[in-house]
Each structure stands twice: as structure tokens, then as C-alpha cells.
Amino acid sequence: MKVQVNDAERSQKELLVEIPYEVFETAADKELDTLLPKAKIHGFRPGKAPKEIAKKQFSHQIKSQAIEKVINEAVQDALTSNNIVPISQAHISNVVFEENKPITFTARVDVFPKVELNKYKDFNFKKINVEISDEDIDDALITLQERDMTYEPVENRDKVQKGDVAVIDFEGKKDGVAFEGGTAKGFSLNIGSGQFIPGFEDGVIGMKKGETKDLNLTFPAEYNNAELAGKDVVFTVTVHEIKEKVKPELNDDFAKDIDPNSKGLEDLKTKLKKGLQTEADKSTQLEAFGEILEQIVKENPFEVPYSFVKEQSDRLAFNAMNQFYQMGLNPEQVGISFEMMAQRYLAQAEEQVKQAIVINEVAKLANIAVEDEDINNFLSFHAELQGRPVEDIKKELESQMQMEAVRNDVLGDKVYKYLAGVNKAEESKMTKKEYEAFRAAKQTGETAGESSEEKPKKKAAAKKSEKEADAEEKPKKTRTSKKKEDAE
């Protein structure tokens, strides 16, 4: 067998392979021997047909299977003998097969890219420092209050008003006929939520308990059900009960309800401040990290395998499509397919993969490694933040097979700290609200369907291309502490 190895674009190796015809003949004989005992040929008992007759009748099958096996074995031998470690299946093309002539074909495989970081120091980058204020903590407490609200029957009035929850029956009809999905009984409608089509909630406002009323409405022209889009309908609504929201008092009991491990309201405020500060620091660190990595990638160009890029673009597309479904929308009904999304994210995915590879290369150059002590510090920090035992968090992460992700997070932190030290930071201060406005403005020009969670996760391992869409993958929290987490 003759093999010529060439470097190809996008971190590929191209193998030009020539196989002696005799290798094919040997493989074809083996295929015939395998097939013969089971061969069913008219006029002969199964497995008793003469070899030449079976060979003639099954020639196409024997030939195709023999060629496939010969090529597969040749590719494997060529990769091994040339010390090539593929990271994807070989793509075979230009197969030439003629009787009594050598078989030739081309194979291409993705290989891990060669990266030379000639410059990764002395770049300028911006680092924002967010200061958490008492007002931010108060806002977080209000959010927790709203999440812990109860709904109590209204005693001092008899009409529905905005902010109430009205327990209603309703039936929708188009041209006098009830339509699918337009009827419900005992439905709790939060007035002001915008949950129904325009005009529905406004029509319920002012209704009395026990009252029945017809609402003449029109479905929006862009409604995702073509049979109802732009159509006039009548909803017959009956109000059975009116409830109003009651917020809990901000006291020690409230704090312990939100976090059973809390010692009281002041302790909860302290934990909220730490959580908010941690979240802000992580977010600003990721932005600064991304700015440094972007400059390193630009200054040290290299190609990455398409298989890496495709894997990451598929992951981003999955996240984007999932966001639509979580909002109750079917993107395919408005012409947005998974394939379209994956194509849209290719450029972003390539940048993310390159940045992940750079992280690992910097770690090698700077002799940065993740030690057991680093992992223990990470777990201890999150245990204190969540008010849970370290062992509980560790067992949870191990059961979910997330310890490798933790190791990648820790590696990313250490690489960032190193790069922040060898590059030049232009630091500035912002309040939490200023920073949120800054991020919102920054995201305005992003690709449709993209969210901040879909930005590069800087801490993924390059060789696995595991850069998740979330800015940070924290250990999950217990149900009792979820309300506190939401405010964070």
C-alpha cells in the first residue's frame, strides 16, 4: 500500500492512498466464503450452490462489501503508520476501482490543530468593577417578596382590577363555533400579565364576582395558528372568584422561609450581597476574559476542524431553539429551523472553539494545572454561598458527572488570573444598574435569538470543545434556597 500525506485546510490531513488489486481479491474471497453457507440460489439447497455460481450471482454485493472493508482497513493502517490521531471519522472521496488495477482514493480527517502562541501578553483590555449597594439588596428582597406572595380572596370590593387574580371560566367561539384551545374552567388569570390576546384582560377588568360577559376580540394577524390569525372571535367569560396579591412582611420569619439556614433578615441580606457580588464579578470577569482571548486569537491565527465548529454551533442552535419552546413558541411555525440556527451560529461557534483552545495552550505555556486543593476551594466557596455541606455539593456534582466541568471552570479561573496579570487592564466602576444597562446596550446588536447565556463559556476544555452556553455552570441548589438564588 502506498500513502501520501498532505496538510489540508481547517486542520485536516489528506491521505492519497493506493491499494494493490490483490488486496481486494483476497477480501472478496473472504466475503464469498462468509456468504456461501447462507446463500439461497434457485435449484440448490441453502449453502450447497457451487462457489462460481454464488460468486456470479452475488458479485455486486461481494464487490461493494470487499471494497468497503479494504478502504476502511487501509485508512486505519495509514493513520497508524503515519502517527496521525484523528478527531473525526475519515471522509472518503475520489475512489477509483478498475479490474486488475490498483485501487486509489482520498481520505481526509480532522486533527487537533497546531497552535503557536507567539503573542499573548501586553494587550489592553477593559475590566469593570461592579459595586453592590444597599438599594440592590432592597431590590433583591422585593423580588423575593413577589416570588413568595400569596393570593387571598378580596374582601373590601367586588370588582376585578389590574394586579388581581381572577378565577374564571371562558369559552371562545369563531363564527358561533367553539375553537380548540379556547375553553377552560376554573382558570386563574393574572390581570396585567399579558397572558391572553389583546383586549381579553382589559375586558375582565371591572367585572364582578358571578358576572358573565361576552368579549368581542380579534386575534393578532401574526398569531401562530393560521385558522385564528386576524379572525374575530367572542369569548364568554364568567368570574367566579377575585383574589389579590399579599406580600409577606420583611422580617426574620420571612428570611428563614426563604433560606432555612439563615439566622434572620440581616443574615439573609449579607448572603444576598455576597451572591449578587459573586454574580457580578463572574460576569465582568467573563467579559474581560473574552476581550483578552479575542485579541490573542486575532494575533495568533490558526484553523480549527469543522467537526469542532459544527458541534458547538449545534449546541448553540439547540439552546436558542429551546428558548423559543420555553416561551411557548414553536420556531418552526415561523420558518426557523434547527439547521438554519446552526448555520447562523457557525462564526460564533468557531470563535468560541478557538478561545477554548487558547485557554488550554496558555495553561501549557504557563504551567497552570488544576490541583485537588483548587477543587476543594471551589466546592467550599459554593457550599458557603448556598449554605450547604461541601460533601452534599460534591456528591451531587459526581452523580451528575459534572466534576470535569468543575475542573474546567477552575482551570479557566486560573488562566484568566494569569492573563489578567500579564496584560494591561483599564479598570472602571459601575453600579449594578449601570452595568445591567451597559450589558443590555451591548447586546442590542447581537444575532436574533441570541442571549447572554449563549456567549462563550470561557472555561470549557478545548479538546472536548465543551463551552456551554451559560456564563457560569453553578452547582444546583436545594429547593429551599431557590428563592434566594432567583434574586441573586
Side-chain angles (χ1 to χ4, degrees):
M1 181 176 71
K2 297 179 182 178
V3 181
Q4 178 182 329
V5 179
N6 301 320
D7 290 327
E9 71 275 6
R10 297 194 69 93
S11 190
Q12 286 187 323
K13 291 290 185 181
E14 179 186 70
L15 289 77
L16 305 178
V17 184
E18 180 181 300
I19 307 170
Y21 187 77
E22 293 76 20
V23 175
F24 163 75
E25 288 183 312
T26 301
D29 288 340
K30 288 182 180 178
E31 287 298 316
L32 177 59
D33 291 340
T34 301
L35 182 148
L36 200 57
K38 308 171 190 175
K40 294 181 181 180
I41 299 176
H42 183 68
F44 298 93
R45 286 181 296 167
K48 298 299 182 181
K51 194 171 185 177
E52 289 305 316
I53 293 178
K55 183 177 181 179
K56 183 176 181 180
Q57 180 160 331
F58 296 102
S59 61
H60 179 73
Q61 178 182 339
I62 292 169
K63 182 184 294 184
S64 61
Q65 290 179 347
I67 291 175
E68 182 179 354
K69 286 188 176 182
V70 163
I71 289 177
N72 288 339
E73 289 176 1
V75 169
Q76 189 58 51
D77 290 345
L79 293 173
T80 302
S81 60
N82 287 278
N83 297 317
I84 297 172
V85 180
I87 57 174
S88 67
Q89 289 186 336
H91 175 72
I92 309 299
S93 62
N94 304 325
V95 178
V96 178
F97 175 81
E98 297 180 20
E99 295 287 338
N100 299 314
K101 290 185 178 180
I103 302 169
T104 61
F105 65 91
T106 300
R108 284 198 173 198
V109 293
D110 289 340
V111 295
F112 203 82
K114 291 181 180 179
V115 182
E116 293 183 8
L117 298 184
N118 297 313
K119 180 173 173 54
Y120 58 93
K121 300 179 181 180
D122 298 324
F123 291 111
N124 296 315
F125 69 98
K126 293 180 174 63
K127 176 64 172 71
I128 299 171
N129 297 309
V130 175
E131 298 178 330
I132 300 301
S133 66
D134 291 341
E135 183 184 357
D136 297 326
I137 299 171
D138 290 341
D139 289 343
L141 286 171
I142 291 171
T143 300
L144 292 174
Q145 268 188 303
E146 291 174 347
R147 291 184 180 276
D148 210 38
M149 281 190 305
T150 57
Y151 296 88
E152 304 294 339
V154 173
E155 302 290 348
N156 57 353
R157 54 184 167 84
D158 61 354
K159 290 184 180 181
V160 177
Q161 64 183 30
K162 190 171 183 180
D164 287 342
V165 170
V167 181
I168 61 174
D169 294 344
F170 61 87
E171 182 181 35
K173 293 182 179 180
K174 179 171 74 76
D175 299 328
V177 180
F179 54 84
E180 185 178 357
T183 301
K185 292 185 178 296
F187 185 87
S188 293
L189 176 61
N190 193 331
I191 306 298
S193 64
Q195 191 174 354
F196 279 21
I197 64 173
F200 190 100
E201 292 174 19
D202 290 339
V204 176
I205 291 175
M207 290 183 67
K208 294 182 179 181
K209 182 178 177 180
E211 181 182 354
T212 298
K213 180 179 177 181
D214 285 343
L215 306 179
N216 296 292
L217 304 174
T218 302
F219 272 89
E222 67 277 9
Y223 192 69
N224 58 18
N225 184 336
E227 294 183 1
L228 295 174
K231 299 297 191 299
D232 295 331
V233 296
V234 177
F235 279 98
T236 301
V237 181
T238 300
V239 175
H240 291 294
E241 193 173 2
I242 305 171
K243 297 180 179 181
E244 61 184 346
K245 301 172 184 176
V246 178
K247 291 183 180 180
E249 290 186 31
L250 290 176
N251 52 30
D252 290 345
D253 290 337
F254 167 78
K256 290 175 183 178
D257 179 58
I258 295 297
D259 179 6
N261 295 314
S262 173
K263 297 175 183 177
L265 186 59
E266 290 306 313
D267 186 37
L268 178 61
K269 288 182 178 180
T270 300
K271 290 181 178 181
L272 285 172
K273 184 172 184 177
K274 185 174 182 179
L276 291 169
Q277 191 67 62
T278 298
E279 181 183 354
D281 290 347
K282 185 61 62 177
S283 181
T284 56
Q285 175 178 311
L286 284 168
E287 289 184 348
F289 199 10
E291 188 176 342
I292 298 171
L293 292 171
E294 185 177 343
Q295 293 181 82
I296 294 174
V297 168
K298 187 176 181 180
E299 190 69 25
N300 303 272
F302 60 92
E303 293 186 321
V304 291
Y306 180 73
S307 56
F308 274 13
V309 177
K310 182 65 167 63
E311 179 186 353
Q312 181 64 2
S313 67
D314 284 352
R315 186 178 292 113
L316 292 174
F318 175 82
N319 291 338
M321 296 290 280
N322 197 41
Q323 285 183 10
F324 281 110
Y325 291 122
Q326 287 177 350
M327 292 187 291
L329 303 173
N330 184 346
E332 294 183 352
Q333 288 183 347
V334 291
I336 300 175
S337 66
F338 177 85
E339 292 73 18
M340 182 191 302
M341 276 289 190
Q343 185 68 28
R344 179 181 295 175
Y345 282 119
L346 281 175
Q348 181 181 341
E350 182 168 355
E351 180 67 16
Q352 290 180 358
V353 170
K354 286 182 176 180
Q355 291 185 9
I357 291 172
V358 164
I359 291 173
N360 283 270
E361 291 300 317
V362 170
K364 292 177 186 176
L365 290 170
N367 294 317
I368 298 172
V370 177
E371 309 293 344
D372 289 343
E373 182 181 358
D374 299 320
I375 300 295
N376 292 335
N377 290 338
F378 176 94
L379 296 176
S380 296
F381 175 81
H382 284 282
E384 183 182 353
L385 192 65
Q386 298 175 29
R388 299 173 58 194
V390 172
E391 284 304 313
D392 286 358
I393 291 182
K394 186 176 181 180
K395 287 178 182 177
E396 184 177 291
L397 290 167
E398 288 175 342
S399 68
Q400 296 172 355
M401 303 182 71
Q402 288 296 310
M403 289 304 293
E404 185 64 25
V406 169
R407 186 169 291 274
N408 292 334
D409 276 351
V410 173
L411 177 65
D413 277 337
K414 296 185 77 170
V415 170
Y416 167 73
K417 289 174 183 176
Y418 171 77
L419 288 175
V422 297
N423 290 282
K424 302 171 184 176
E426 179 187 327
E427 298 197 34
S428 60
K429 291 183 180 181
M430 288 187 184
T431 65
K432 183 173 181 291
K433 285 185 170 60
E434 287 172 341
Y435 178 62
E436 288 170 349
F438 167 78
R439 288 193 70 188
K442 192 175 180 181
Q443 291 169 16
T444 302
E446 291 177 353
T447 306
E450 177 184 345
S451 75
S452 59
E453 283 76 28
E454 291 170 333
K455 292 186 176 185
K457 185 182 181 187
K458 307 303 180 186
K459 301 183 177 169
K463 54 187 175 182
K464 292 186 179 179
S465 191
E466 286 292 340
K467 296 200 309 179
E468 293 298 327
D470 295 323
E472 180 189 14
E473 190 171 313
K474 297 180 181 178
K476 291 185 179 178
K477 308 196 176 181
T478 60
R479 183 179 181 276
T480 54
S481 63
K482 186 175 189 309
K483 294 173 185 174
K484 179 166 73 70
E485 179 187 5
D486 288 331
E488 293 171 11

